């Protein structure tokens, strides 16, 4: 598979299906693992890094038959391609901007990704559309088991899987659910959610678009600690609390409609109007209007647009995607024009 | 994870509750100092949990001398970069790390998945890390005889434990 082919499609996790997909964008689980016979990367010289990459990329090829994985040597990718994979959620910023031998293997459907020589020797990630904690865990646990048949991961009985950063040791697991919470943000009720989550040891992070500007209304909720609880317990913590947040967002949406249906309808229609007709638009403004539009569709206020199209627009209007679509590098002003033109094209009424 | 105000790695994770709103901060040591002294000056609520030990200067100096016999990282280097050097550090710095882990996780005993490999393997793994380190030094010092010995020893150990994948079938 060539990297450029990816621009023709989008990841399965964007298809907007799965339980609670109107509010839960995606579920992600990642595991941090290190080969026990090598130092962590801060102390690994070029030779060790090459050897780690050789062993792990070999393992990824071995898994490829079952998981249809494609392996890419990240050092040989252009900056734009690396950025593209970051926007696609297939690699982290850290892997993209890192140094030395490193790589990634990901599945054709973009549900599974294995990063080599990131902060740890190996970061396994499974991503799904909607709320799918169990199936993510099943799949990632199986991949981990398959790898473990062949390689020896650093582990000790007291501290579990040993990781470069002590904040990840134990299970090495990070379970995250990405939520779209426009009504809670609009009514500022979101602060109450933050407080409640914090009390039970869950972390909340806003998503970031270009630069460090917050990307409207998307929040990622994940476990804060990794040691002392089993993977199942950590998953259950999230599983117990997510439905409450979903219910809360739904109630506030209903209340907003009840209080001021016309005002809300006006707001989302204007957002739609701007996206359909702007001649130049920033990434930040796009995110904000797409967020309104997405809520409008889920409330039945806008009926001629499917959710997966909107989900895709969030990804395809990001800088590297626009440049890949245009086959050329664009500065920020040019990107705003290209973004507006892409949005007009995608949102034009179907004839 | 990077420090939120400069490109250094974040080594201190601060959770703060301001007017009932929880905020998370990730800083390198330097920026954390700055942040905390500013916060104090402003008279904010005190941070709920600063993940760092507040030892005295002399104790710190003593700690900083500690080095891992396998990879050579000192405790000071770890504190600076927030990343350990090798799996053995968890044992080499155990006394210092346990309170830190308790602070981060609220627990100090793993209770999750266990790999099928026996812990017996891990001792061999640490030995391999150490030998590889020595090999590097031997080559740098051009002690080729020593290097050859080390290389043999590494090969012998590697063949004993199937740590690397049996090359593609
Ligand atoms: Zn800093
Ligand atoms: Zn070490």
């Amino acid at each position: 598979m060539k990297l450029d082919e990816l621009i023709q499609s989008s990841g399965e996790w964007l298809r907007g299906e799965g339980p609670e997909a109107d509010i839960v964008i995606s579920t992600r689980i990642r595991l941090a693992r290190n080969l026990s016979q090598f130092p962590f990367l801060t102390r690994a010289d070029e030779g060790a890094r090459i050897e780690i990459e050789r062993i792990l990329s070999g393992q990824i090829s071995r898994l490829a038959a079952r998981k249809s994985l494609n392996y890419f040597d990240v050092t040989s990718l252009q900056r734009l391609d690396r950025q593209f994979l970051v926007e696609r959620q297939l690699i982290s910023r850290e892997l993209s901007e890192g140094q030395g031998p490193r790589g990634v293997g990901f599945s054709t459907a973009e549900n599974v990704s294995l990063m080599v020589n990131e902060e740890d020797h190996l970061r396994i990630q499974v991503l799904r559309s909607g709320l799918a904690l169990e199936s993510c865990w099943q799949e990632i646990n199986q991949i981990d088991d398959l790898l473990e048949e062949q390689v020896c991961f650093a582990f000790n009985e007291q501290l579990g899987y040993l990781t470069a950063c002590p904040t990840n040791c134990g299970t090495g697991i990070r379970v995250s659910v990405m939520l779209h919470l426009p009504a809670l943000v609009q009514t500022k009720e979101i602060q109450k959610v933050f407080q409640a989550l914090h009390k039970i040891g869950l972390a909340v992070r806003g998503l970031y678009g270009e630069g460090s500007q917050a990307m409207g209304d998307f929040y990622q909720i994940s476990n804060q600690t990794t040691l002392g609880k089993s993977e199942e317990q950590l998953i259950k913590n999230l599983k117990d609390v997510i439905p409450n947040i979903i219910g809360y967002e739904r109630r506030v949406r209903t209340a907003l409609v009840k209080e001021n249906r016309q005002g809300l309808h006006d707001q989302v229609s204007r957002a739609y109007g701007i996206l359909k007709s702007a001649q130049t638009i920033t990434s930040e403004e796009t995110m904000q209007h797409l967020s309104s539009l997405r809520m409008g569709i889920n409330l039945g206020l806008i009926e001629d647009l499917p959710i997966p199209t909107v989900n895709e627009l969030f990804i395809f209007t990001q800088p590297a995607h626009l440049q890949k679509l245009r086959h050329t590098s664009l500065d920020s002003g040019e990107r705003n024009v290209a973004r507006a033109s892409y949005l007009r094209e995608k949102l034009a009424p179907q004839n | 994870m990077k420090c939120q105000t400069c490109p250094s790695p974040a080594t201190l994770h601060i959770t703060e509750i301001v007017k009932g709103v929880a905020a998370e901060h990730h800083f390198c040591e330097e920026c954390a100092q700055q942040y905390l002294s500013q916060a104090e000056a402003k008279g904010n609520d005190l941070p709920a949990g600063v993940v760092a030990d507040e030892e005295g200067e002399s104790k710190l100096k003593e700690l900083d001398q500690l080095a891992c016999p396998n990879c050579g990282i000192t405790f000071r280097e770890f504190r600076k970069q927030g990343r350990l050097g090798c799996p053995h550090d968890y044992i080499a710095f155990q006394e210092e790390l346990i309170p830190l882990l308790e602070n981060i996780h609220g627990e100090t005993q793993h209770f999750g998945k266990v790999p099928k490999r026996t812990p017996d393997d891990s001792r061999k793994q640490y030995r391999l890390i150490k030998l590889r380190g020595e090999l590097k030094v031997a080559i740098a010092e051009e002690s080729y005889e020593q290097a050859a010995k080390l290389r043999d020893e590494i090969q012998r150990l590697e063949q004993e434990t199937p740590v690397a994948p049996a090359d593609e079938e």
Side-chain angles (χ1 to χ4, degrees), chain A residues 292-348:
Chain A
S292 274
L293 184 56
R294 196 176 187 282
M295 176 168 74
I297 297 168
N298 283 327
L299 288 174
L301 298 168
I302 288 178
E303 289 175 331
D304 61 345
L305 197 62
I307 282 287
T309 305
V310 181
N311 287 352
E312 278 179 19
L313 287 176
F314 278 105
I315 304 293
F316 278 73
T317 55
Q318 290 184 46
H321 272 76
L322 289 172
Q323 295 173 75
K324 294 289 279 185
L325 284 165
R326 290 298 169 96
H327 305 289
T328 177
S329 89
L330 304 167
D331 67 26
S332 141
E334 292 166 338
R335 286 201 299 271
N336 292 345
V337 173
R339 183 176 295 116
S341 139
Y342 180 74
L343 284 164
R344 289 198 308 275
E345 182 196 318
K346 287 286 163 185
L347 297 176

Side-chain angles (χ1 to χ4, degrees), chain A residues 43, chain B residues 68-73 84-89 92-93 129:
Chain A
R43 286 259 144 188
Chain B
C68 166
N70 275 325
C71 74
I73 194 174
L84 292 160
C86 83
H88 186 68
D89 299 357
F93 303 146
I129 291 170

Side-chain angles (χ1 to χ4, degrees), chain A residues 52-326:
Chain A
I52 295 164
E53 207 219 341
R54 187 190 67 80
I55 293 173
L56 290 175
S57 63
Q59 287 303 316
I60 292 170
S61 318
R62 194 178 59 88
L63 286 181
R66 294 174 82 142
K67 298 282 169 190
S68 78
L69 300 169
N70 308 281
Y71 189 80
F72 292 92
D73 168 4
V74 171
T75 51
S76 71
L77 296 179
Q78 302 286 320
R79 208 190 131 73
L80 181 63
D81 285 329
R82 300 200 306 266
Q83 184 58 36
F84 176 72
L85 292 178
V86 172
E87 290 174 4
R88 209 77 178 191
Q89 315 233 9
L90 291 168
I91 66 173
S92 63
R93 256 171 234 271
E94 184 153 349
L95 191 80
S96 164
E97 286 158 27
Q99 299 282 319
R102 59 200 195 285
V104 62
F106 56 81
S107 63
T108 313
E110 298 177 42
N111 282 339
V112 175
S113 124
L114 297 101
M115 288 188 277
V116 175
N117 286 350
E118 203 237 26
E119 181 182 302
D120 293 294
H121 298 161
L122 181 66
R123 289 279 176 101
I124 316 169
Q125 169 185 289
V126 171
L127 190 59
R128 288 222 196 291
S129 178
L131 186 59
L133 288 160
E134 266 102 7
S135 73
C136 275
W137 169 240
Q138 264 171 20
E139 176 152 32
I140 204 165
N141 192 27
Q142 183 210 15
I143 294 171
D144 187 48
D145 283 345
L146 288 170
L147 289 169
E148 225 181 66
E149 287 171 6
Q150 299 283 322
V151 297
C152 191
F153 291 132
F155 180 89
N156 97 26
E157 281 176 350
Q158 187 188 350
L159 300 175
Y161 290 93
L162 305 175
T163 51
C165 184
T167 54
N168 295 319
C169 77
T171 53
I173 200 172
R174 192 76 63 203
V175 187
S176 335
V177 175
M178 202 211 291
L179 301 172
H180 183 221
L181 303 172
L184 290 174
V185 173
Q186 195 171 325
T187 55
K188 304 207 164 61
E189 294 288 303
I190 193 87
Q191 294 297 350
K192 290 184 195 158
V193 175
F194 288 174
Q195 276 170 262
L197 289 174
H198 186 76
K199 269 188 205 143
I200 55 171
L202 295 177
V204 188
R205 233 165 249 141
L207 280 197
Y208 296 92
E210 218 169 337
S212 62
Q213 272 160 339
M215 197 167 105
D217 311 334
F218 290 99
Y219 291 90
Q220 187 163 289
I221 297 173
S222 53
N223 62 306
Q224 186 115 267
T225 66
T226 53
L227 176 66
K229 290 194 180 66
S230 70
E231 291 81 356
E232 287 82 2
Q233 283 174 304
L234 291 166
I235 289 167
K236 188 170 182 298
N237 277 356
L238 252 85
K239 206 188 156 193
D240 288 345
V241 78
I242 297 292
N244 297 333
I245 304 173
I246 296 171
Y248 198 3
E249 168 72 19
R250 289 226 175 92
R251 283 199 301 282
V252 175
R253 285 185 188 187
T254 310
L256 284 176
V257 174
K258 211 169 166 190
E259 266 167 39
N260 187 1
R261 186 188 167 91
Q262 200 174 36
L264 198 65
H265 197 175
D266 181 60
Q267 179 198 322
V268 304
S269 304
R270 280 167 186 272
Y272 197 10
I274 289 171
L275 293 170
K276 273 197 286 197
S277 56
Q279 298 297 312
T280 169
I281 190 165
T282 63
S283 161
E284 197 193 2
E285 192 183 357
T286 305
M287 296 297 166
Q288 184 197 326
H289 295 320
L290 282 175
S291 171
S292 274
L293 184 56
R294 196 176 187 282
M295 176 168 74
I297 297 168
N298 283 327
L299 288 174
L301 298 168
I302 288 178
E303 289 175 331
D304 61 345
L305 197 62
I307 282 287
T309 305
V310 181
N311 287 352
E312 278 179 19
L313 287 176
F314 278 105
I315 304 293
F316 278 73
T317 55
Q318 290 184 46
H321 272 76
L322 289 172
Q323 295 173 75
K324 294 289 279 185
L325 284 165
R326 290 298 169 96

